[in-house]
Amino acid sequence: MALLAAGITAAASVAPASAKTDIKAALRPFACNLDTWYNDVPFNERFARAAADGFINVEFWPVRREGLDARKARALLDANGLTLTQYAPTAPNFSDPGQHDALLDMIRQAISDSAIMGNKQITLVGHHIVDGMPREAMLAGYTAGLMRIAPLLEQAGLMALVEPFNTVNHLGHLLNGSRPATAMLRAVHSPMIKLQWDFYHMQLEDGDLIEKFTAGIDQVGYVQLGDVPGRHQPGTGEVNHVNLLKAIRAAGYKDPMGLEYYPLDNDHGRAVRDAVALSLAANL
């Protein structure tokens, strides 16, 4: 693992940041996650921190918390020159068909909030295991829920990103790794329901990152990064992110990638420098 981590560090050093580096341009391919970054300050203060470090794109988890709502979040985004790529409204456990009405209500609220904040995507989970329900029934329930919300999303032009987890440290969920989620979304067949391809989860659950991503690219709506082990920034673990990011672009994914990881040792300055070096080394 140490050799692999050293490998990405060496690769990143091919294109090191310098005094002439345009930090904002280097960070443009990324979206800073405001729930995993800057958590040494209150959430409302993290927008300014991200902007000061050079980010222009951000993402976060629920918007409705700590007195925050969509309008207040939009004001913070605008004040700091930030664009929201996506956020994660709290979803009911709609593997259970009895939760489908609650799911529809949540989607309607997310459509309204997204229109205010300007994001075009939301992350959708809601696939907790339902005690006493067979796996086949849960898969059918989740699929049916996606089909019920598809017309609403398509009409609004809002993409829902189904996020599979992993069975190492995210226990109790129906969808883990790239399968069966890829097959499920192909069956749903909606342009507004795609996968949140979180490489942290995919590495823990699947491995074989490049081939599986390339095979599933038709269902990828958004990408998130995080190294293994530890869920820190690329370069701190076992994944060669320079090769990975080149493969992501080669597969056709051109949108921002979410940095949903915890900066090592809470050192945000280092995490920013590492993100800039990665962007340069991968020619993003």
Side-chain angles (χ1 to χ4, degrees):
M1 186 179 301
L3 290 175
L4 288 168
I8 186 174
T9 301
S13 69
V14 172
S18 70
K20 295 182 179 180
T21 298
D22 185 336
I23 302 299
K24 282 193 174 184
L27 293 177
R28 187 180 301 274
F30 301 126
C32 174
N33 187 290
L34 296 184
D35 278 281
T36 59
W37 288 62
Y38 311 116
N39 51 24
D40 54 331
V41 299
F43 185 76
N44 286 6
E45 297 178 20
R46 299 177 195 179
F47 294 79
R49 287 276 295 274
D53 277 343
F55 288 104
I56 61 172
N57 299 308
V58 296
E59 60 177 31
F60 49 74
W61 298 340
V63 65
R64 296 177 174 272
R65 47 150 150 200
E66 303 172 15
L68 194 68
D69 60 19
R71 294 192 181 281
K72 292 177 182 178
R74 179 59 187 262
L76 288 167
L77 291 164
D78 288 348
N80 291 287
L82 297 170
T83 297
L84 179 64
T85 56
Q86 60 91 20
Y87 79 104
T90 303
N93 187 12
F94 67 95
S95 300
D96 177 1
Q99 295 295 317
H100 286 182
D101 286 346
L103 171 66
L104 289 168
D105 289 342
M106 184 276 284
I107 291 297
R108 292 186 183 101
Q109 183 65 65
I111 289 170
S112 175
D113 287 344
S114 296
I116 293 169
M117 294 187 293
N119 57 288
K120 300 300 182 183
Q121 297 177 318
I122 60 170
T123 290
L124 185 62
V125 186
H127 52 79
H128 296 82
I129 296 294
V130 180
D131 290 340
M133 183 178 289
R135 178 175 177 80
E136 293 75 12
M138 288 187 288
L139 288 169
Y142 199 86
T143 302
L146 294 177
M147 289 180 170
R148 286 192 66 181
I149 63 175
L152 293 175
L153 295 167
E154 290 166 11
Q155 183 177 13
L158 180 67
M159 181 179 290
L161 305 160
V162 175
E163 182 176 16
F165 289 147
N166 72 80
T167 55
V168 176
N169 55 30
H170 280 58
L171 303 180
H173 290 88
L174 178 66
L175 301 178
N176 298 287
S178 59
R179 297 174 294 187
T182 304
M184 176 185 289
L185 265 61
R186 285 177 178 147
V188 171
H189 195 60
S190 169
M192 287 296 138
I193 301 178
K194 297 293 182 180
L195 284 178
Q196 164 81 277
W197 203 282
D198 186 323
F199 278 99
Y200 172 76
H201 294 305
M202 297 301 184
Q203 172 68 355
L204 285 174
E205 190 66 24
D206 287 352
D208 191 20
L209 296 179
I210 291 174
E211 287 196 6
K212 285 189 170 63
F213 180 80
T214 302
I217 186 63
D218 62 304
Q219 295 304 316
V220 175
Y222 190 71
V223 164
Q224 287 181 324
L225 305 176
D227 216 336
V228 175
R231 200 168 190 167
H232 303 305
Q233 65 262 36
T236 60
E238 65 191 18
V239 177
N240 185 329
H241 276 85
V242 173
N243 284 349
L244 178 61
L245 265 61
K246 288 180 178 178
I248 290 170
R249 290 303 196 222
Y253 182 85
K254 305 300 182 186
D255 294 329
M257 292 171 275
L259 305 184
E260 192 190 36
Y261 51 71
Y262 299 89
L264 183 66
D265 298 326
N266 210 29
D267 185 342
H268 295 90
R270 173 187 169 181
V272 169
R273 292 191 297 273
D274 287 348
V276 169
L278 176 61
S279 177
L280 297 174
N283 295 316
L284 297 180

